[in-house]
Amino acid sequence: MKLSARNILRGKVTKVIKGSTTSHVLIDVNGATITASITNEAVDELKLKEGMDAAAVIKSSDVMVAVG
């Protein structure tokens, strides 16, 4: 699969928290946790489970920086 996104962070799923329609998927990337909010349907289709390899793919046209 080819993607236009340049930010692909590979890691392991540490937790899948299902809500009524949306799940939070936590991925450990070298000690940092990335949280993705995706549909429960996507979790089921991808068969996401704790401990499996996964990648957080980030596509954004803007990155904001804040201080203070």
Side-chain angles (χ1 to χ4, degrees), residues 14-38:
T14 58
K15 189 177 280 193
V16 177
I17 305 164
K18 278 194 168 184
S20 57
T21 59
T22 304
S23 292
H24 291 105
V25 180
L26 283 67
I27 302 173
D28 179 273
V29 178
N30 296 323
T33 300
I34 304 291
T35 303
S37 296
I38 64 174

Side-chain angles (χ1 to χ4, degrees), residues 35-49:
T35 303
S37 296
I38 64 174
T39 64
N40 290 338
E41 184 177 89
V43 168
D44 295 339
E45 288 176 5
L46 294 171
K47 298 181 176 134
L48 293 176
K49 304 246 184 287

Side-chain angles (χ1 to χ4, degrees), residues 3 5-10 55-58:
L3 294 172
R6 296 294 177 232
N7 301 302
I8 301 172
L9 307 172
R10 300 185 189 285
V57 180
I58 302 165

